Amino acid sequence: MLGSLWRYRYFIASSIRGDIKGRFARSYLGGFWFVLHPLMQALIFSIVLAEVMRARMPNVDGEAAYPIYVLSGMAAWGLFSEILNRSLSIFIEQAPAMKKIAFPRLCLPIIVWGSAIINHVLLLGAIAVVFLFFGHLPGLAWVYVVPGMFLISALAFGIGVFLGVLNVFARDIAQIMNVSMQLWFWFTPIVYVKGVIPERFQAIADANPMTVLTGIYQNALLLNQGPSWKSLIPPIVVGVLAVLASFVIFRRASPDLVDAL
């Protein structure tokens, strides 16, 4: 499968460009929409929680600390949710192309991944500009965002492809994941800090791989600190297992995908 992806690398690259251009089609603001939606969502959370409910970051000075914390977490979650959600439905969306054109089917989630990474890089650039308005200068710890980006995208890719294949044969998977992603978001410390989670829910937060992965962004962008590498072992293991499981189920189900569609 990996060999076939390499042989079709130019097809994947051109498809990523086509996917991005397709989003820009007939849009006056173009790529600005890529960053506007997550920025506005983070702004709403910041205004409601920081100003109305007077939420503050413990042990961190500055009124901009909480908005920066939320923006960092939302950026990490946005990458995760975009890759997972689009991979979940990509085989169904591209059913006409799969029936008419011969190409490795695994190219489709790879195209989703590449497009999401470009979108995410644009968002990080916009966030850096927003931070300058807050008077918060990006530090050297921003380099830790790169491994965080890789781990988040690998986890999302593995889960998304695994469930995307199952979704072809059982369309209830997509409906279940719509609800599950909402719960997953609120069980991830993005709009609140991990320390405020009640004791009975701490085990859920600790078992959540996105707790650590969003923490990479929050620590790097807000505190200018690197992650605890020991804490990354569980999400790395989960991500590797998810990717391997997705390859296994895709390899077994690929001969029947087109017939099921």
Side-chain angles (χ1 to χ4, degrees):
M1 288 190 295
L2 296 179
S4 64
L5 290 177
W6 176 252
R7 289 191 296 272
Y8 278 78
R9 60 190 182 276
Y10 299 113
F11 168 75
I12 293 173
S14 62
S15 297
I16 291 174
R17 288 194 297 269
D19 181 68
I20 295 175
K21 290 180 180 179
R23 298 192 193 186
F24 293 163
R26 300 184 183 276
S27 174
Y28 292 106
L29 296 181
F32 184 64
W33 290 113
F34 278 164
V35 300
L36 181 61
H37 290 299
L39 287 178
M40 289 303 298
Q41 190 174 14
L43 179 63
I44 291 171
F45 279 123
S46 299
I47 292 175
V48 172
L49 296 177
E51 298 300 328
V52 178
M53 300 181 67
R54 298 298 178 185
R56 291 292 183 267
M57 290 294 301
N59 304 320
V60 180
D61 296 329
E63 294 184 357
Y66 182 76
I68 292 172
Y69 177 85
V70 173
L71 278 170
S72 304
M74 292 292 293
W77 180 263
L79 175 64
F80 176 74
S81 61
E82 179 178 0
I83 295 177
L84 196 157
N85 288 329
R86 292 195 64 199
S87 297
L88 183 64
S89 59
I90 189 65
F91 298 117
I92 296 175
E93 292 176 357
Q94 298 299 324
M98 293 174 63
K99 294 176 180 179
K100 297 177 181 178
I101 306 174
F103 64 94
R105 310 311 186 198
L106 195 58
C107 289
L108 295 176
I110 295 294
I111 293 168
V112 167
W113 175 82
S115 178
I117 289 294
I118 295 175
N119 181 15
H120 187 64
V121 171
L122 293 174
L123 176 62
L124 290 176
I127 287 177
V129 174
V130 173
F131 284 4
L132 292 178
F133 282 105
F134 285 143
H136 183 78
L137 298 178
L140 293 177
W142 273 60
V143 298
Y144 293 110
V145 169
V146 177
M149 187 188 311
F150 175 78
L151 293 175
I152 291 172
S153 60
L155 178 64
F157 178 87
I159 298 175
V161 173
F162 184 89
L163 295 178
V165 173
L166 295 180
N167 192 41
V168 173
F169 302 95
R171 304 298 171 89
D172 295 333
I173 297 295
Q175 303 303 322
I176 294 172
M177 284 305 298
N178 286 336
V179 177
S180 299
M181 288 297 287
Q182 296 181 43
L183 293 174
W184 199 340
F185 173 83
W186 288 107
F187 275 105
T188 303
I190 296 175
V191 298
Y192 58 85
V193 294
K194 187 174 180 290
V196 304
I197 300 176
E199 186 68 26
R200 63 183 183 276
F201 294 126
Q202 282 288 343
I204 299 177
D206 293 336
N208 179 5
M210 285 302 294
T211 298
V212 176
L213 297 180
T214 55
I216 297 176
Y217 277 63
Q218 291 159 344
N219 290 333
L221 275 58
L222 173 62
L223 304 177
N224 197 30
Q225 295 177 358
S228 169
W229 298 108
K230 185 178 180 180
S231 67
L232 295 180
I233 296 176
I236 289 175
V237 172
V238 173
V240 170
L241 292 177
V243 171
L244 292 177
S246 68
F247 283 167
V248 170
I249 192 173
F250 180 85
R251 187 180 185 89
R252 292 186 177 182
S254 57
D256 301 322
L257 278 179
V258 176
D259 293 336
L261 290 169

